[in-house]
Amino acid sequence: MQKPTSLPPERSGKIANPKLLARRKALADAKDAGIWQTKPPPQEIKIAGVRALKFSPSGKSRGTILHIHGGAFRIGCPEQISHFALALAQHCSVTVICPAYRLAPEYPYPAGLNDTRAVMEVLIADNDTPLILSGDSAGGGLAAGLAAMA
């Protein structure tokens, strides 16, 4: 089987329904209230135009993990996996990058995959240490898609 060289073009999305918007607002309120705050806090960065959180180990980093949050491709943010990402960074001595990819239905497939692919390509180009792809739930699906494209 031949490896695909490109994804389908991005397409117009639609407005999220009120129930989804309410769930997103609840997550935003939790984030603003500091529910996922970590010590030390992550560094907020932009990679390929995509907002991301960067969690660093206390010592030298042995590699980078691109960890993609879940949420059925429609909800979620990197902040909600902050405690996991920080623990991973500290216990494994790696840098953990958690991108905030575009969500459906406003940005349907392949928008989220395009965002995470752009982040992955920058991380590969800018680092000489190993890159590990991981994700939870929908983020695991995006990580698997990235691995297939890589």
Side-chain angles (χ1 to χ4, degrees):
M1 186 162 143
Q2 188 174 347
K3 186 166 126 179
T5 56
S6 65
L7 293 171
E10 289 193 13
R11 51 202 166 100
S12 299
K14 46 185 164 174
I15 297 171
N17 67 50
K19 187 175 178 181
L20 177 58
L21 292 174
R23 290 182 69 199
R24 287 180 182 170
K25 168 102 172 60
L27 277 176
D29 290 347
K31 179 180 88 168
D32 293 344
I35 194 165
W36 297 300
Q37 201 169 42
T38 60
K39 291 199 188 304
Q43 179 183 5
E44 189 165 320
I45 59 174
K46 279 210 177 224
I47 302 174
V50 177
R51 183 180 79 83
L53 298 182
K54 178 181 179 181
F55 297 85
S56 300
S58 52
K60 183 178 177 180
S61 180
R62 300 182 319 156
T64 301
I65 295 178
L66 175 58
H67 185 79
I68 307 164
H69 71 80
F73 305 103
R74 304 173 337 127
I75 198 166
C77 62
E79 286 80 6
Q80 73 188 76
I81 54 174
S82 290
H83 293 280
F84 170 72
L86 180 61
L88 199 57
Q90 291 180 343
H91 293 294
C92 299
S93 297
V94 294
T95 301
V96 181
I97 304 293
C98 303
Y101 59 90
R102 291 175 289 167
L103 301 173
E106 297 91 338
Y107 302 98
Y109 176 84
L113 191 55
N114 283 338
D115 289 350
T116 55
R117 181 182 188 181
V119 170
M120 178 187 73
E121 288 173 350
V122 168
L123 292 175
I124 289 170
D126 289 353
N127 290 290
D128 58 353
T129 59
L131 177 66
I132 298 167
L133 302 173
S134 74
D136 55 276
S137 194
L142 290 171
L146 293 176
M149 291 189 317

